[in-house]
Amino acid sequence: MDIQNLLEDITGAVQPQIGQGQVAGYIPQLGAVDPHQFGISLVTKDGEVFSAGDAHVEFSIQSISKVFALALVLSSDGDGIWKRVFREPSGNPFNSLVQLESEDGIPRNPFINAGAIVVTDRLLSLTGDAAGAVRALMRRESGNALVDTDHRVATSELESGHRNASLAHFLASCGNLENPVDEVLESYAQQCALAMTCQDLALAARFLASNGLGAEGELVLSPAQTKRINAVMLTCGTYDAAGEFAYRVGLPGKSGVGGGIVAVVPGKCAISVWSPGLGRSGNSVAGVAALDEFTTRTGWSVF
Ligand code: DON
């Protein structure tokens, strides 16, 4: 298969979707991004890289960081995190408050904001610098030592982040935070505000397509943990649109409100797409369309 040609074809095919949807205005810095951009990169499990469109433009990875924070917690702390967060789809928006109260402060899964705040809290306890740990993982796996937090985005999120603050305070009231609320929220905002390109992200996610094997030949996760993290991405990675994403794309995937999505073809490749316009559930409209094209044309889905 000529993958380079395929990515260029897909970039052409999704032109009508680029610019559709809304940019994430609830974080003011993200609201200022030009929506008329689209990038796609694919990295095979052996490390071959293909890119098209705006694949070398940096964007805010936002919730995609949650996968990498979870990987770090699972690899150093084993299954303990599952006592503090479930792994079922929520069927609710990513920043919803309602379920958390009725389920006694145990978030539905590690990818909604409440669950990710618990994961970051654990990573902060384990490392003393949760965002720094995610950044180091990203730098090592992408091979790009310049990957860094965009502090304007982190500050913008913290200044406007009343929902995450309420989730974190509620978690604390239920005894499900180990660190002070402000420290956890700051770490979480910094990890979400990492700026990366499609190519950086596809390279960084390669271990999810290669049974946990990282860029330097090290095991980022065991094969069993990799299988499980991919399963949670499939069922929970795109929030209350996870059913629609499975129907259209049929791959484990994780979106972010910066407009990025990382998807995994287990045993074959990692793909990263980016276009800032979001649909109702916070997933990139053109990004989902591109991944739909990709699995429809290649037959590379898990179904
Ligand atoms: O906590 C937030 O609201 C953002 N930092 C991340 C949300 C996000 O990316 C949801 N994904 N589609």
Side-chain angles (χ1 to χ4, degrees):
M1 185 185 308
D2 185 337
I3 294 176
Q4 185 58 42
N5 243 333
L6 175 69
L7 299 192
E8 282 164 19
D9 268 12
I10 290 172
T11 304
V14 301
Q15 289 300 312
Q17 275 83 42
I18 299 171
Q20 281 188 15
Q22 303 288 325
V23 292
Y26 78 98
I27 299 175
Q29 279 284 327
L30 297 185
V33 175
D34 173 8
H36 297 280
Q37 304 187 76
F38 172 84
I40 182 167
S41 289
L42 181 153
V43 174
T44 67
K45 76 169 187 349
D46 302 318
E48 253 192 300
V49 186
F50 303 89
S51 292
D54 300 313
H56 300 286
V57 178
E58 286 187 344
F59 60 91
S60 192
I61 70 167
Q62 293 298 317
S63 287
I64 299 171
S65 67
K66 296 169 179 175
V67 176
F68 295 84
L70 179 63
L72 287 169
V73 168
L74 288 175
S75 73
S76 68
D77 208 22
D79 281 342
I81 194 70
W82 300 123
K83 294 194 178 72
R84 298 177 54 194
V85 55
F86 297 130
R87 40 178 192 262
E88 291 294 344
S90 71
N92 280 313
F94 61 84
N95 55 5
S96 172
L97 301 159
V98 285
Q99 229 162 21
L100 194 61
E101 176 161 26
S102 61
E103 299 187 356
D104 299 322
I106 307 291
R108 264 296 170 102
N109 67 65
F111 295 149
I112 54 171
N113 287 5
I117 289 167
V118 169
V119 172
T120 296
D121 174 57
R122 186 65 197 137
L123 190 57
L124 187 55
S125 298
L126 290 167
T127 64
D129 179 5
V134 177
R135 186 180 59 219
L137 175 65
M138 294 304 207
R139 286 181 178 174
R140 190 183 73 215
E141 295 307 311
S142 69
N144 180 359
L146 300 178
V147 168
D148 216 342
T149 291
D150 181 335
H151 291 285
R152 290 164 308 175
V153 173
T155 303
S156 182
E157 168 157 0
L158 283 169
E159 284 172 357
S160 56
H162 303 299
R163 272 185 173 256
N164 285 343
S166 47
L167 289 167
H169 280 287
F170 191 79
L171 287 163
S173 79
C174 296
N176 201 3
L177 280 192
E178 296 169 343
N179 296 283
V181 163
D182 289 351
E183 286 177 33
V184 178
L185 287 173
E186 182 159 355
S187 300
Y188 171 80
Q190 284 180 6
Q191 112 191 8
C192 287
L194 283 166
M196 296 174 71
T197 67
C198 281
Q199 185 162 311
D200 292 334
L201 260 178
L203 282 162
R206 177 179 144 202
F207 71 91
L208 295 168
S210 61
N211 277 321
L213 199 64
E216 296 177 353
E218 82 289 12
L219 265 190
V220 180
L221 287 177
S222 72
Q225 287 171 324
T226 308
K227 175 189 80 170
R228 297 189 199 292
I229 216 168
N230 280 329
V232 183
M233 284 171 72
L234 180 79
T235 52
C236 309
T238 44
Y239 312 111
D240 48 334
E244 182 68 7
F245 190 81
Y247 175 83
R248 289 186 61 190
V249 177
L251 291 175
K254 183 76 214 75
S255 61
V257 289
I261 307 175
V262 163
V264 181
V265 187
K268 272 196 166 43
C269 63
I271 311 154
S272 169
V273 291
W274 168 62
S275 194
L278 308 177
R280 199 182 36 82
S281 301
N283 306 310
S284 168
V285 174
V288 174
L291 292 169
D292 181 342
E293 283 288 330
F294 176 81
T295 53
T296 304
R297 291 182 191 213
T298 57
W300 290 4
S301 94
V302 298
F303 299 108

